[in-house]
């Protein structure tokens, strides 16, 4: 049986190599990260290679992610890719514990990891969630030759986006497709 049929779809010539950039700490703990996890699983079930680039608190996962980034920087672009039909979470930045129940992303650490992961053009598509989070936006869309998709989950942008307005606009101009998760968000973005 052809591999593509194994995934329950018509045969496709080549699976896409997709990077999903998550600006929130991993593992999933809220509606946005759960949606990202579901999207990644759905794309993998269709036979694509899906790598989630995120921050995390596990020192082991962070060390593994940084080692993969180092191998990719040395020319082994496969080091950051998932196998076709699978999801690989690559922890490329450190999440910081803010309270007993909340973590936040170390923005510069995540930006550096995302830039390194996307530098070798290993991916066909880069999908950034919450693109009004300035640091992941500018890191991901500036450093890739891949097709870029952005998904807006919230109506109100984070406060720092005002400081980075012109840079964020230039980065968003690089997006090939923009997705809003609800009609309300689409209206707000249009306005």
């Amino acid at each position: 049986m052809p591999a593509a049929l194994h995934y329950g779809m018509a045969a496709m010539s080549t699976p896409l190599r997709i990077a999903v950039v998550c600006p929130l700490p991993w593992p999933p703990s809220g509606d946005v990260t759960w949606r990202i996890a579901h999207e990644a699983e759905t794309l993998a079930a269709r036979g694509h290679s899906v790598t989630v680039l995120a921050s995390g608190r596990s020192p082991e996962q962070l060390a593994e992610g940084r080692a993969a980034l180092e191998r990719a920087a040395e020319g082994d672009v496969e080091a950051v890719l998932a196998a076709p039909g699978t999801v690989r979470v690559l922890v490329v930045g450190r999440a910081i514990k803010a309270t007993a129940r909340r973590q936040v992303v170390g923005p510069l650490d995540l930006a550096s990891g995302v830039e390194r992961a996307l530098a070798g053009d290993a991916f066909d598509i880069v999908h950034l969630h919450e693109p009004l989070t300035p640091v992941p936006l500018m890191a991901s869309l500036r450093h890739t030759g891949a097709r870029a998709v952005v998904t807006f989950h919230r109506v109100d942008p984070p406060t720092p986006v005002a400081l980075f307005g012109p840079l964020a606009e230039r980065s968003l101009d690089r997006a090939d497709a923009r997705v809003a998760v609800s009609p309300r968000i689409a209206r707000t973005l249009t306005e």
Side-chain angles (χ1 to χ4, degrees):
M1 172 181 293
L5 295 179
H6 171 73
Y7 297 107
M9 61 180 283
M12 67 179 167
S13 58
T14 306
L16 292 172
R17 299 166 304 169
I18 302 169
V20 178
V21 180
C22 178
L24 303 167
W26 204 264
S29 62
D31 59 337
V32 173
T33 49
W34 284 115
R35 186 181 289 248
I36 293 169
H38 178 72
E39 172 196 314
E41 290 294 334
T42 301
L43 290 167
R46 293 180 179 165
H48 302 296
S49 165
V50 183
T51 302
V52 176
L53 303 174
S55 62
R57 289 197 55 227
S58 165
E60 295 80 18
Q61 287 180 324
L62 184 59
E64 179 184 318
R66 287 188 172 157
L69 293 175
E70 196 60 43
R71 290 192 310 276
E74 293 169 356
D76 179 13
V77 294
E78 299 287 323
V80 296
L81 296 175
T86 65
V87 175
R88 176 179 186 192
V89 176
L90 192 62
V91 174
V92 296
R94 178 176 289 123
I96 303 162
K97 187 173 183 172
T99 66
R101 302 182 77 161
R102 187 168 168 258
Q103 301 177 69
V104 295
V105 171
L108 299 179
D109 198 33
L110 177 63
S112 173
V114 167
E115 286 178 7
R116 292 178 68 198
L118 299 178
D121 290 329
F123 299 100
D124 301 310
I125 296 174
V126 173
H127 188 168
L128 172 64
H129 289 264
E130 292 292 26
L132 294 179
T133 307
V135 173
L137 165 68
M138 290 182 286
S140 59
L141 297 186
R142 270 188 343 173
H143 292 86
T144 183
R147 293 292 195 178
V149 177
V150 295
T151 296
F152 296 88
H153 294 270
R154 296 183 183 134
V155 175
D156 51 335
T159 306
V161 83
L163 299 172
F164 294 99
L167 292 172
E169 281 183 37
R170 278 197 299 258
S171 294
L172 277 173
D173 286 343
R174 167 69 182 83
D176 296 294
R178 296 177 186 201
V179 178
V181 298
S182 75
R184 179 177 174 223
I185 292 171
R187 276 192 311 275
T188 302
L189 292 172
T190 301
E191 291 169 4

